[in-house]
Amino acid sequence: MSEAPQSMASIDHVNVRLAQRSYPIAIGHGALETGWEAIDLKGFSRVFVVSNPHVFALYGERLMRAVGARHADVRNVLLPDGEDQKSWQSLNQIFDALLVSASDRKTLLVALGGGVIGDMVGFAAAIYQRGIAFVQVPTTLLAQVDSSVGGKTAINHALGKNMIGAFHQPIHVLIDPSVLQTLPAREFRAGLAEVIKYGVALDATFFAWLEENLDALNAQEPPAMREAIKRSCEIKARVVADDEFETRPQGGRALLNFGHTFGHAIESALGYGVWLHGEAVGCGMALATKFSASLNRISADEAERVLALITRAGLEVEPPRIAPDVWLTHMARDKKNERGRLRLILLDAIGQSSTDASIDADTVKAFLAGH
Ligand code: NAD
Ligand code: GLY
């Protein structure tokens, strides 16, 4: 990966508008390096880059050089790779590195990696000395279109995914689509699930664009990739600006969780990392779509279009074998649930979804028993 950074002129910007917590997302080839031009590092005492050994071997040197050209004190700490490492133990390695080096509250953390690194670094930044600043440099498609934006940070617990965390917004997001060239195909497909999510749950125009451009995305054609990343970030930025802390009783940020109640249940029932998060979300969206059709909220034709798009992205629409009771046990731990009731995100049309807490567990169980 020795692609020369291009000028700032080739960088797109999407703004996440959250009053004093607003920040820009820079998207473009070379942003890993050139994006730092827009970040004022003078106010920070130190920069700590957090990554994993695999990603750091690929992009660490380039990033450290770019940051090092703008700050005299740049260090790094590497965490073990993998969803099953999104834990207190890994998180503590960040705090160990910060405390051993006497890093103060003016330290800037940089998350270089996928959603696992981004979520952990964000959580570390949220709670180290009651909160420090961080920058997201997402290197997977999933992280570029979703997890690096919006300030949800977390680690997993054996009893539930992302159960321990905080809202903490980054000060900047640098998205360099060229780093996706080294991403394994399976990880790329998992990222497409979150791209498709925006179209299915929130934006019919984007859904139609995806139907037209999915072959170009599967081939990772740069213009299509950049457009998909930009539009995903725009949709997410709009939703987050409207409901940062996911407190709206209807709709709002919860809609970004379309497919996730089923998906998180797959991840935790099978064990973290067996199905990738995006794979589980893809299948979860297929189940939420079929369930919406079974309740006559959407037509069979609409459901077919959604399932066809998920399938074209190389994602599974049939769930793994999980007993209905086990499904329900895991779905009952979803963070959206209130007062013991399931709160599902269901489709009302392509591009239009809503939260529904009126469906009883037996109806869901009967639906799942048929799969
Ligand atoms: P990941 O972070 O585990 O990355 C996937 C794999 O790709 C890892 O092995 C990683 O080392 C490797 N990798 C990363 N970048 C690479 C590159 N450019 N080239 C080659 N290999 C690369 O997984 P993910 O799919 O990025 O993230 C999943 C996580 O994100 C889950 O824990 C999920 O809960 C979280 N998530 C969070 C939010 C949020 O809003 N905070 C949203 C969606 C998902
Ligand atoms: N990924 C869901 C959210 O950020 O709200």
Side-chain angles (χ1 to χ4, degrees), residues 146-147 149-152 194 197-198 236 240 246 253-254 256-257 260:
D146 192 354
S147 62
V149 175
K152 275 191 181 175
E194 302 279 13
K197 169 188 81 178
Y198 294 115
K236 180 146 189 188
V240 169
E246 205 173 308
R253 186 166 182 167
L256 293 175
N257 274 305
H260 285 57

Side-chain angles (χ1 to χ4, degrees), residues 1 10 33 108 135 150 163 172 174 262 280 289 291 330 337 360:
M1 293 306 307
S10 66
E33 284 141 325
L108 176 71
V135 171
M163 280 293 160
H172 218 108
L174 300 181
F262 292 107
T289 300
F291 191 45
H330 288 279
N337 298 342
D360 60 66

Side-chain angles (χ1 to χ4, degrees), residues 78 101 139 179 242 254 269 271 307 318 333 362 370:
L78 304 185
S101 59
T139 61
V179 302
D242 177 56
L307 298 180
E318 291 301 329
R333 292 188 189 125
D362 286 342

Side-chain angles (χ1 to χ4, degrees), residues 52 54-55 58-59 81-83 86 113-119 136 138-143 146-154 156 161-162 179-184 187 190-191 194 197 236 253 260 264 267 276-278:
N52 69 42
H54 178 58
V55 174
L58 290 166
Y59 303 108
D81 194 4
E83 183 71 44
K86 202 176 158 184
V116 168
I117 288 291
D119 279 12
Q136 289 271 19
T139 61
T140 62
L141 178 59
L142 182 141
D146 192 354
S147 62
S148 64
V149 175
K152 275 191 181 175
T153 77
N156 297 330
K161 186 154 165 68
N162 293 335
V179 302
L180 302 181
Q181 287 166 19
T182 53
L183 195 64
E187 298 289 350
E194 302 279 13
K197 169 188 81 178
K236 180 146 189 188
R253 186 166 182 167
H260 285 57
H264 282 168
E267 285 186 271
L276 301 179
H277 175 72

Side-chain angles (χ1 to χ4, degrees), residues 40-61:
D40 184 7
L41 294 180
K42 286 194 293 293
F44 295 101
S45 54
R46 172 173 294 160
V47 182
F48 238 111
V49 177
V50 186
S51 189
N52 69 42
H54 178 58
V55 174
F56 197 77
L58 290 166
Y59 303 108
E61 199 186 317

Side-chain angles (χ1 to χ4, degrees), residues 113-136:
V116 168
I117 288 291
D119 279 12
M120 280 199 290
V121 174
F123 190 31
I127 60 178
Y128 184 68
Q129 298 194 10
R130 301 196 181 92
I132 61 174
F134 79 114
V135 171
Q136 289 271 19

